[in-house]
């Protein structure tokens, strides 16, 4: 588990990112923040599209930004939504690529930022992996 300071930093980053969510169609605002093993935190929001199907979830925006900046191992993710929603299946698989047992913090932006914690192992058991050399 993360220490309380690191956990709060990650929660704050997810909540801050959520303010920038682009969700004019669903109106469902999502902010996500990932913590890499070098201590860096990278945030993302959902980015919707008029063609609907091209919408990108906040978690995948955060992961791709972190990986683009050099991260390869993620220790935790915080996701901030109304009602502390859990990541969708596609995002679980993408998160698993960079940390199959990472901590997952689900933040309820409507309830004084209350949160609960779980792990990706719990959300996505028996994860698919390819045995590749790099
Ligand atoms: N969404 C996320 O950002 N993350 C998830 O894990 C599930 C759904 C977004 C996509 C869309 O913009 C809105 O929430 C409603 O589905």
């Amino acid at each position: 588990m993360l220490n309380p300071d690191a956990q709060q930093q990650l929660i704050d980053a997810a909540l801050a990112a959520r303010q920038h969510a682009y969700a004019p169609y669903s109106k469902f605002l999502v902010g996500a923040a990932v913590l890499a093993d070098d201590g860096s935190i990278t945030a993302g929001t959902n980015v919707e599209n008029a063609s609907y199907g091209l919408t990108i979830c906040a978690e995948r925006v955060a992961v791709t930004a972190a990986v683009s900046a050099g991260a390869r191992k993620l220790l935790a993710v915080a996701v901030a939504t109304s009602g502390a929603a859990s990541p969708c299946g596609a995002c679980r698989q993408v998160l698993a690529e960079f940390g199959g047992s990472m901590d997952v913090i689900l933040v309820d932006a409507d309830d004084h930022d209350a949160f609960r914690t779980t792990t990706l192992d719990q959300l996505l058991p028996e994860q698919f992996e390819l045995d590749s050399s790099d």
Side-chain angles (χ1 to χ4, degrees):
M1 277 307 292
L2 296 183
N3 70 56
D5 278 355
Q7 186 169 261
Q8 193 58 52
Q9 273 192 315
L10 202 60
I11 290 170
D12 290 346
L15 285 164
R18 184 172 176 267
Q19 308 280 337
H20 301 294
Y22 179 72
Y25 307 106
S26 73
K27 318 277 191 219
F28 190 73
L29 311 179
V30 187
V34 293
L35 172 68
D37 62 353
D38 65 355
S40 62
I41 288 177
T42 307
T45 72
N46 53 333
V47 182
E48 297 190 343
N49 188 273
S51 71
Y52 287 25
L54 291 177
T55 290
I56 313 171
C57 292
E59 296 91 324
R60 276 178 285 157
V61 171
V63 168
T64 51
V67 170
S68 299
R72 289 293 183 269
K73 174 76 182 160
L74 302 179
L75 305 178
V77 60
V79 185
T81 65
S82 172
S86 198
C88 76
C91 287
R92 291 176 196 203
Q93 181 66 35
V94 170
L95 287 162
E97 182 79 17
F98 301 101
S101 54
M102 74 175 76
D103 292 319
V104 179
I105 306 166
L106 304 174
V107 186
D108 188 350
D110 286 346
D111 184 17
H112 308 287
D113 306 337
F115 66 89
R116 71 183 175 91
T117 57
T118 182
T119 64
L120 200 58
D121 274 333
Q122 285 182 285
L123 295 179
L124 188 66
E126 301 191 31
Q127 294 165 9
F128 173 74
E129 280 172 31
L130 273 184
D131 188 12
S132 82
S133 50
D134 56 12

